[in-house]
Amino acid sequence: MNALHPAARRAAVALRSYTLFALAWWALSAWVANPIQLPDPLRVARALATLFADGEIVEHASVSTARLLLSLVVATALAVPLGFLIGLSRRVEAYVDPLIELLRPISGIAWIPLALFIFGVGNTLPVFIMVYVAFFPLLLNTVAGVRGTDPKLLAAARTMGISRAATLRHVVVPSALPTVLVGLRLSFAGAWAAVVAAELIGAPSGLGFAIEWYRQLLMSPKVFAFIAVIGVVGFVCDALLRALQRRLTPWTEGQGS
Amino acid sequence: MDHVTPKLRLQGVSKSFLAPRAKAPTLAVADFNLDIHPGEFVCIVGPSGCGKSTVLNMVAGLDTPDAGAIELDGRQVQGPGAERGVMFQDYALMPWQTVAQNVGFGLLHGTPGQGMSPAQRQARVAEHLELVGLTAAANKYPHQLSGGMRQRVALARLLANGPDVLLMDEPLGALDAQTRLILQVELLRIWGETRPQAERRTALFITHDIEEAVFLGDRVVVMSSHPGRVRADIAIDLPRPRREALRADPRFGEFAEHIWSLIRDEARQAIGGLTPTTPQEETTA
Amino acid sequence: MSAAVTRSSNPEVAAGRVGPVPAARDRLAPWRALALPALLLVLWQLWALGLPADTRAPYPSKVASTLWALTASGDLPLALVQSLGRVMAGFACALVIGLLLGVPMGASAKLRDNLDPIIESFRPIAPMAVLPIAILWFGTGTPAAVFIVAYAAFFPLIVNTVHGVMNVPRRLLQAAHTMGVPRTRILLHVLLPASLPSVLLGARLGMGMAWTAIIAAELAVGAKSGGGTSGGIGQMMFVFYAYNVDLNAIVVCMGVVGLVALAIDRLFRAAERRLMPWKA
């Protein structure tokens, strides 16, 4: 095992852990002996295969992911410019920040009943909740990123006669970028959690809806299968974001939430 | 005093490291030999990366040599121990403890304080705080202190543990130049340079500052790098106690210049890309 | 040239200062802080005045009176106590498991490599996604809710604990070693205090997640069990949505959710300051 390349070794250890986990699961499900409460791994695997084959997983997953992407785009379009405004201007901050701090503790979930009244059950509700949830980490991190610009870098730019606009573009933005990307990852994590909650309660489609649907039908293997899909999609998206982080900000190393 | 067995003996010590993504291990220290006698203050200087800290780590027991032997009082060194107390460049103070608690840490939790009553421990802590002049700061936290004060706490802690040998790894390296000059004199006073050699504690001091080494040491060992080994062992027979005025003494300058001439070329290469100086460059400087 | 740059309308950026606001502006700060929220409240109230008298739409004055009514009747305090009780129970479970797993994982790379894949695989699975399973196992009552809360609080706790233990400066452990301190004492008197800041951060984040999770769980369970007996603020919100439709009450609940979240955050920060007097 130790002779392998470190990444391969870690993959092998991970594989072993998953296998042991599956075995423990199997043992537990045999002991509990209640296929509705705890279906064994094989059943879940078969349910996964079936759901894949008839396209249900792809259908629901793409609906949820589409909502996620839309929400992240909208949230970014709102949060990043506002974040820059707040970060650069103490005046704007003085007026806007209190409102932000008043709204932020009210979790997106708490908005669901009111939002259900306004939007009804459908596509808009999950997106609204997700935009709300994604908005705050992005905003806060953008502000932090802008504020965190090293004053010495700004001073250096000034001594080189660089204009304010150019300083903004070439010093502040790159300096803030790593923190903004961390905010994006946080926003994603929050939004992905929110989409399930929102779909569970107030949407006619998507992974959250599917889980609840099959639970009411007491078809546990499918419930577990969809939960696994939620995990996988979440994992893949986060990995993609981390890759984006490395691509856009190669000068940072080992930074992450 | 035993003239036959040195206090600390390193014989044929070698150490290799495998750097990440390197194909073969690099030899950091090769065939290092050094005898240190009781009560001596020995300084090791050398260019960056010559392995001086590696040597100290091995004496401290934080690292093991690949070959050779390290003996304290004739017995082989096995792992860290309070008889070989260490002072680090980054102080290594526990941030959540006050100055007094830090000084008493080894006494409370380690081997030095075994058999001591709380009152005895407290007295010892107070004594050493007084020694380094930090009695007034006893209840402060490290973050409230300046670098120089933190290093004095580290020194107090080291001495309170009553080690046989003091191992100091560039302890003044993180301080500004003025503080360094002041603490060099303080260090010698606290170490007890006015006492006869038999009553002093043996000290091994690593530094990259040549003048510091000459000022502090009875001997200066010059290391060469790649791999690290002893290049020269110079006895500094300047009078003790070492006073500030000594820095202007021509003999002081001669020692320093001689040592620098041994290190200079390697140091230039160590910082990357500079070629050794030619004889003309040296004389017209 | 330098005059033009330093006299820019944004003195902070031009001067390279991103520090605290100059003292001269501080007197007006509280007013500035209230300006936007107050303006929005006023606009909201004005908008509502233009609506028919029997409107269901919520507005500030009605929200305030509903808050009073709910508090006086004891409904709101009771629901709050129920929700908080579950949060604390769930958080306590997560704390115990998180520390028991997190400290060894932080100290041992081997353990980390083995357990981390499992934990990281579950992290993207939101607490709400696990709710249906919890209901399958425990029914729609408090045990399911506590389970979800524990699940939610677990991840920030363990991630931060592992991080904290991993990042204890090696130097401190070495220093203790060179003083002859035995291994168990190093664990107790060096490793744990050194990782305390991270553990407390994880606790604060975990508690925040726990609070969000309980509201969500109570809301969802209330929705699925037809306003069942789960109690708590979340369920109360659902009741006011589906049964005694009262949007003002919903807004009151939302406000309470926000206030409690804020209070939790402040409390934990105060605890952090108290427990770590050595922090700069």
Side-chain angles (χ1 to χ4, degrees):
Chain A
M1 194 78 106
N2 290 318
L4 289 173
H5 190 254
R9 181 158 28 110
R10 247 178 294 130
V13 172
L15 197 62
R16 181 180 65 187
S17 294
Y18 287 131
T19 316
L20 286 172
F21 179 76
L23 285 171
W25 176 3
W26 183 291
L28 193 61
S29 70
W31 182 68
V32 167
N34 183 337
I36 292 182
Q37 285 198 324
L38 191 62
D40 61 71
L42 260 185
R43 258 192 236 246
V44 175
R46 250 180 282 143
L48 253 176
T50 322
L51 289 166
F52 247 118
D54 60 27
E56 265 194 74
I57 288 193
V58 175
E59 180 194 324
H60 288 296
S62 40
V63 165
S64 296
T65 319
R67 289 175 178 150
L68 174 77
L69 275 167
L70 178 62
S71 314
L72 284 179
V73 166
V74 173
T76 309
L78 290 172
V80 174
L82 184 60
F84 267 90
L85 259 173
I86 294 180
L88 293 171
S89 161
R90 289 279 167 178
R91 174 155 265 139
V92 171
E93 183 207 11
Y95 284 110
V96 177
D97 197 58
L99 185 64
I100 304 282
E101 287 301 303
L102 270 174
L103 287 177
R104 188 163 63 99
I106 304 176
S107 58
I109 306 291
W111 274 89
I112 291 184
L114 197 62
L116 272 173
F117 255 108
I118 303 175
F119 302 111
V121 172
N123 233 350
T124 330
L125 179 80
V127 171
F128 170 77
I129 300 292
M130 285 165 82
V131 168
Y132 183 89
V133 169
F135 176 78
F136 292 101
L138 261 170
L139 180 73
L140 258 52
N141 273 46
T142 306
V143 172
V146 170
R147 290 262 173 75
T149 313
D150 190 347
K152 298 201 204 79
L153 294 179
L154 295 172
R158 205 160 45 109
T159 63
M160 292 190 265
I162 300 178
S163 75
R164 254 196 72 222
T167 306
L168 189 65
R169 253 190 77 206
H170 296 288
V171 180
V172 180
V173 168
S175 172
L177 196 55
T179 317
V180 173
L181 289 177
V182 171
L184 186 61
R185 279 180 66 201
L186 289 170
S187 288
F188 159 73
W192 191 237
V195 76
V196 174
E199 287 173 350
L200 216 107
I201 300 172
S205 58
L207 293 168
F209 162 80
I211 291 182
E212 183 54 20
W213 177 261
Y214 284 113
R215 179 193 73 83
Q216 291 184 342
L217 294 175
L218 293 181
M219 298 169 77
S220 298
K222 296 205 171 169
V223 173
F224 277 74
F226 272 104
I227 290 180
V229 171
I230 289 179
V232 168
V233 174
F235 185 84
V236 167
C237 288
D238 187 61
L240 285 172
L241 280 174
R242 252 179 298 148
L244 184 71
Q245 223 178 343
R246 277 192 301 272
R247 197 85 208 297
L248 288 178
T249 57
W251 64 88
T252 59
E253 26 121 35
Q255 275 184 0
S257 48
Chain B
M1 188 174 64
D2 196 322
H3 290 274
V4 179
T5 316
K7 185 76 179 171
L8 194 60
R9 158 166 282 180
L10 289 88
Q11 257 182 325
V13 171
S14 300
K15 179 82 186 166
S16 307
F17 287 111
L18 185 62
R21 291 193 223 129
K23 299 279 169 53
T26 30
L27 195 55
V29 175
D31 197 32
F32 192 91
N33 296 291
L34 183 62
D35 280 353
I36 300 180
H37 304 288
E40 270 195 313
F41 196 116
V42 175
C43 296
I44 301 185
V45 290
S48 293
C50 70
K52 29 191 210 292
S53 287
T54 310
V55 168
L56 189 110
N57 279 343
M58 289 192 283
V59 177
L62 295 169
D63 233 338
T64 37
D66 293 331
I70 302 180
E71 288 170 6
L72 177 69
D73 287 332
R75 261 170 295 122
Q76 180 130 131
V77 153
Q78 307 261 37
E83 72 282 355
R84 285 158 290 130
V86 186
M87 202 163 132
F88 300 96
Q89 181 178 32
D90 45 10
Y91 324 120
L93 300 177
M94 311 293 167
W96 59 91
Q97 302 212 302
T98 61
V99 163
Q101 288 169 332
N102 264 292
V103 173
F105 191 85
L107 297 174
L108 185 58
H109 297 297
T111 45
Q114 273 165 3
M116 276 181 139
S117 71
Q120 285 173 312
R121 279 200 291 266
Q122 253 182 318
R124 200 169 164 90
V125 167
E127 177 196 332
H128 284 87
L129 280 177
E130 170 99 43
L131 182 63
V132 300
L134 283 176
T135 312
N139 292 319
K140 292 226 166 107
Y141 288 104
H143 80 261
Q144 297 170 291
L145 306 176
S146 70
M149 291 167 85
R150 288 182 210 170
Q151 203 51 290
R152 280 147 67 198
V153 176
L155 186 57
R157 179 177 71 183
L158 173 63
L159 294 172
N161 291 333
D164 272 350
V165 174
L166 307 174
L167 303 174
M168 295 177 271
D169 189 354
E170 305 207 42
L172 307 182
L175 305 168
D176 66 86
Q178 292 172 10
T179 311
R180 243 185 285 149
L181 293 178
I182 297 168
L183 283 188
Q184 282 162 16
V185 176
E186 275 303 291
L187 182 63
L188 288 178
R189 172 187 71 80
I190 295 167
W191 170 61
E193 67 171 340
T194 47
R195 288 190 252 144
Q197 185 167 344
E199 289 169 37
R200 295 184 213 146
R201 265 187 271 243
T202 316
L204 180 59
F205 189 97
I206 311 288
T207 181
H208 60 267
D209 184 339
I210 293 170
E211 276 158 23
E212 180 172 88
V214 174
F215 187 82
L216 294 173
D218 293 317
R219 276 160 67 197
V220 173
V221 172
V222 181
M223 265 182 91
S224 63
S225 64
H226 300 113
R229 50 162 59 97
V230 175
R231 174 121 181 229
D233 191 335
I234 299 157
I236 310 288
D237 55 348
L238 296 169
R240 285 203 188 271
R242 305 273 168 88
R243 297 252 178 268
E244 292 277 9
L246 197 60
R247 297 188 208 269
D249 189 317
R251 292 191 60 216
F252 183 87
E254 278 162 25
F255 276 120
E257 179 51 42
H258 173 57
I259 294 171
W260 177 228
S261 69
L262 293 173
I263 298 177
R264 176 172 30 223
D265 285 344
E266 284 192 68
R268 283 173 68 95
Q269 284 180 322
I271 69 174
L274 293 181
T275 52
T277 53
T278 61
Q280 291 103 307
E281 283 174 313
E282 285 182 42
T283 49
T284 53
Chain C
M1 174 196 76
S2 48
V5 174
T6 50
R7 277 171 156 275
S8 79
S9 61
N10 194 333
E12 318 294 320
V13 174
R17 263 187 295 118
V18 267
V21 180
R25 291 204 218 151
D26 270 349
R27 272 183 298 117
L28 287 177
W31 298 112
R32 261 185 254 264
L34 291 173
L36 197 53
L39 181 66
L40 289 175
L41 266 176
V42 168
L43 286 174
W44 183 10
Q45 183 77 18
L46 288 175
W47 166 79
L49 289 179
L51 298 169
D54 59 351
T55 181
R56 288 204 293 197
Y59 48 92
S61 49
K62 200 100 188 291
V63 169
S65 59
T66 314
L67 171 63
W68 175 251
L70 284 172
T71 316
S73 69
D75 288 335
L76 191 60
L78 181 64
L80 194 56
V81 166
Q82 276 178 314
S83 295
L84 282 173
R86 291 167 174 157
V87 163
M88 290 198 280
F91 179 78
C93 294
L95 187 65
V96 169
I97 302 178
L99 287 180
L100 282 178
L101 270 180
V103 173
M105 273 177 74
S108 153
K110 202 145 184 258
L111 200 58
R112 242 189 345 263
D113 284 343
N114 277 293
L115 285 180
D116 215 45
I118 310 286
I119 296 180
E120 285 297 303
S121 301
F122 275 94
R123 198 151 65 97
I125 301 176
M128 284 298 279
V130 180
L131 182 64
I133 298 185
I135 295 178
L136 275 173
W137 289 349
F138 304 113
T140 59
T142 298
V146 170
F147 176 79
I148 297 297
V149 168
Y151 181 87
F154 174 73
F155 293 101
L157 266 167
I158 201 166
V159 164
N160 280 284
T161 302
V162 171
H163 185 260
V165 173
M166 267 175 75
N167 287 336
V168 171
R170 228 174 128 235
R171 197 51 107 202
L172 293 183
L173 302 169
Q174 282 181 332
H177 216 177
T178 62
M179 292 189 262
V181 180
R183 279 244 127 85
T184 40
R185 287 221 183 196
I186 294 186
L187 177 71
L188 228 64
H189 296 282
V190 183
L191 195 77
L192 286 183
S195 37
L196 191 64
S198 286
V199 172
L200 288 180
L201 175 65
R204 175 157 56 88
L205 296 173
M207 195 62 165
M209 305 271 314
W211 179 244
T212 307
I214 192 61
I215 301 299
E218 288 169 352
L219 189 61
V221 168
K224 296 312 159 190
S225 66
T229 54
S230 48
I233 303 265
Q235 194 248 1
M236 200 162 122
M237 265 205 287
F238 180 74
V239 166
F240 285 126
Y241 161 75
Y243 298 106
N244 316 334
V245 177
D246 186 349
L247 292 183
N248 293 287
I250 291 183
V251 174
V252 169
C253 290
M254 286 168 67
V256 170
V257 168
L259 269 170
V260 173
L262 205 63
I264 289 176
D265 186 73
R266 292 287 182 264
L267 226 92
F268 269 78
R269 281 185 204 263
E272 274 172 59
R273 278 193 300 271
R274 205 76 212 298
L275 287 171
M276 300 190 294
W278 65 85
K279 275 273 163 188

